[in-house]
Amino acid sequence: MGQGRPSALLGLACCLLLLGGSGGLGSRGTTPRGPWEEEQRPLAEGGPWGRARYEAVKKQLGAVGALSKQYWQYLACKVWQKGCEEEEEEEEPLLFPGWSLPLVGQDYLEILSAWYCSFGKCCKTGDCRIVNNITGLEADLNGQLHGQHLAKEVVIRAVQGFLQSPQPQKALVLSFHGWSGTGKNFVARMLASHLYRDGLKSECVRVFISLFHFPHHKYVDSYKVRLRKQISETVQLCKQSLFIFDEAEKLHFSLLDAIKPFMAHNDNKGQVDYQRSIFLFLSNLGGNTINEVALDFWRAGRAREEISMEFLEQRLRLELLEPAENGYARSHLLEENLIDFFVPFLPLEYHHVKLCARDAFLARGLVYTEATLDEVARMMVFVPKEKLFSAQGCKSVSQRINYFLP
């Protein structure tokens, strides 16, 4: 179809509206009527066309009207689910045998109905806006997430395997850990944008920020009721739902326990099915342990890509279990093994910050040089004494390039 498809679609839509006659969009229940079917007066025998010519043209116009009616009924069936009953075949075949609906009109009508449904008017739930573009997710993670070989691998494998499972035993629960600015929020946004057409604005996605949505511990009982209600309503609307909890380490432990049933192995026969949901917990917990491992590898002359999940996850889990004033340690999520994957985000080095700066320039359509990228990277604070890791990760890089604008 190529570049001619939009114009062909527009032409088809216009023809449908014209040939649909007075039926139009406002009277879906009426039979479409061609504009030439109203008060047609026969031409005189001695007219300029003659009777034979008049009868031939009349027959062709009737065929066009019948074809437009067929198209209109197909569109009404696809969009409004009306007129879908099987009808008897026409007594007289159309005069344009090449214009059969499946061969020509159906492709354009599929596009037209998909365009109409893209505004969310064809389904009562948000499920019609789910795209699950794993290929695009993998491509963007490889191209835009820097220095996080473990996070890329775990997220792709976990999400892809979960979505491909015909009947998951439980909801997918991922816990992102690492310093601020290492990409936890970035990956969460990327997941939302590739699983749902509307990204974070989707009705199937809910984002909770601990200190914003649950700021006062004295109201925790009220928070629990509201949180359970919001999760239940979202899952009823969309069986595949995404719940993101930012600053998860600051959640009150009773809040985590309150939502535990939504993440547990559970047979929900006759009830709402939560097993198609995805829960993301974003936390700075474990950042020091992750950084120590990365630093030890660097000091030993080993590449950071040699760090394995088996080696790092064990240390990360031990830190999370240490007695501390955090919701993870005091809740039952860890001891009941409800978190499927602990996803570590490694500290970012100088060359990673330069890549983030490059992406920021490209995103705004700005010209840059290697010298400019170096200047942006040098503005960041690096730790420890070796000045190896960016203390802020890539956070604020996009704002810092404003310094170099004319």
Side-chain angles (χ1 to χ4, degrees):
M1 300 295 177
Q3 297 179 351
R5 175 167 286 192
S7 60
L9 173 59
L10 180 59
L12 176 61
C14 293
C15 288
L16 286 170
L17 293 175
L18 289 174
L19 295 178
S22 58
L25 288 171
S27 54
R28 304 172 194 165
T30 61
T31 303
R33 183 168 56 180
W36 297 283
E37 294 177 358
E38 300 182 12
E39 299 185 9
Q40 293 188 25
R41 293 188 177 90
L43 295 177
E45 289 279 350
W49 282 4
R51 172 60 61 181
R53 182 68 179 275
Y54 163 74
E55 292 295 339
V57 172
K58 181 179 178 180
K59 188 173 183 181
Q60 290 179 355
L61 291 177
V64 172
L67 182 62
S68 70
K69 176 182 177 180
Q70 189 179 9
Y71 281 146
W72 183 257
Q73 288 176 340
Y74 180 83
L75 180 62
C77 175
K78 294 293 292 183
V79 175
W80 297 292
Q81 287 78 47
K82 292 187 177 182
C84 298
E85 300 82 4
E86 294 185 3
E87 296 186 358
E88 298 181 0
E89 295 184 0
E90 298 286 345
E91 294 182 2
E92 295 185 7
L94 296 178
L95 295 182
F96 310 103
W99 280 35
S100 62
L101 182 61
L103 295 179
V104 175
Q106 183 171 352
D107 189 38
Y108 290 124
L109 285 171
E110 290 283 359
I111 300 171
L112 183 59
S113 61
W115 169 81
Y116 181 86
C117 290
S118 70
F119 295 100
K121 300 181 182 299
C122 287
C123 61
K124 296 179 180 179
T125 72
D127 286 348
C128 63
R129 309 284 289 171
I130 295 175
V131 292
N132 290 342
N133 182 10
I134 298 299
T135 302
L137 173 63
E138 184 173 12
D140 281 353
L141 285 175
N142 288 328
Q144 301 178 38
L145 182 64
H146 308 300
Q148 305 298 350
H149 68 286
L150 293 176
K152 291 177 185 178
E153 180 181 5
V154 175
V155 169
I156 288 296
R157 288 190 177 185
V159 174
Q160 186 173 33
F162 177 75
L163 295 178
Q164 290 178 347
S165 174
Q167 185 58 54
Q169 296 182 351
K170 64 181 290 293
L172 176 64
V173 184
L174 305 178
S175 190
F176 293 178
H177 298 271
W179 264 6
S180 177
T182 52
K184 300 186 298 296
N185 278 281
F186 183 69
V187 173
R189 292 195 303 270
M190 195 176 289
L191 268 172
S193 65
H194 285 88
L195 298 186
Y196 305 92
R197 191 186 306 274
D198 303 315
L200 292 176
K201 296 181 179 180
S202 172
E203 295 176 323
C204 303
V205 179
R206 298 301 297 264
V207 179
F208 303 98
I209 303 173
S210 298
L211 295 183
F212 180 77
H213 292 96
F214 319 108
H216 305 294
H217 286 179
K218 62 181 179 180
Y219 300 125
V220 69
D221 290 335
S222 174
Y223 295 154
K224 287 192 293 185
V225 173
R226 186 178 69 188
L227 181 57
R228 283 194 293 253
K229 182 174 182 291
Q230 290 173 329
I231 292 177
S232 296
E233 290 176 347
T234 303
V235 174
Q236 288 176 6
L237 181 68
C238 311
K239 290 184 178 180
Q240 182 187 306
S241 303
L242 174 64
F243 302 100
I244 303 172
F245 293 85
D246 197 8
E247 301 178 339
E249 74 277 6
K250 299 172 184 175
L251 283 171
H252 195 276
F253 72 93
S254 63
L255 278 175
L256 290 171
D257 283 340
I259 62 176
K260 184 181 67 174
F262 301 120
M263 298 177 279
H265 294 77
N266 191 13
D267 184 3
N268 291 307
K269 290 182 179 178
Q271 302 176 6
V272 178
D273 184 7
Y274 300 99
Q275 297 170 351
R276 276 289 176 192
S277 302
I278 301 175
F279 289 82
L280 300 183
F281 294 98
L282 283 53
S283 171
N284 291 338
L285 285 176
N288 291 334
T289 295
I290 295 171
N291 294 353
E292 288 173 5
V293 170
L295 185 60
D296 289 343
F297 269 67
W298 181 82
R299 287 172 175 168
R302 301 175 63 183
R304 61 193 280 134
E305 287 74 21
E306 295 181 44
I307 301 174
S308 66
M309 274 296 299
E310 293 76 14
F311 180 78
L312 189 52
E313 185 176 18
Q314 183 178 5
R315 291 196 179 192
L316 184 57
R317 182 183 287 269
L318 288 175
E319 179 178 338
L320 296 178
L321 286 171
E322 289 180 1
E325 288 299 319
N326 69 76
Y328 273 144
R330 299 178 63 187
S331 72
H332 294 84
L333 296 186
L334 298 179
E335 66 181 50
E336 296 186 21
N337 297 313
L338 296 182
I339 297 177
D340 298 299
F341 296 95
F342 294 93
V343 184
F345 284 75
L346 301 172
L348 299 182
E349 300 175 8
Y350 184 87
H351 64 283
H352 300 133
V353 176
K354 286 183 62 177
L355 291 173
C356 291
R358 180 205 63 186
D359 293 346
F361 276 104
L362 291 175
R364 297 172 62 173
L366 300 174
V367 179
Y368 65 89
T369 63
E370 282 297 317
T372 304
L373 300 183
D374 279 317
E375 288 189 63
V376 174
R378 283 196 294 266
M379 295 175 69
M380 310 297 285
V381 177
F382 289 84
V383 294
K385 61 182 180 181
E386 292 91 347
K387 304 297 181 184
L388 182 62
F389 304 134
S390 170
Q392 302 160 283
C394 279
K395 187 170 286 186
S396 80
V397 164
S398 59
Q399 285 77 26
R400 290 176 184 267
I401 66 174
N402 295 327
Y403 180 80
F404 300 94
L405 299 181

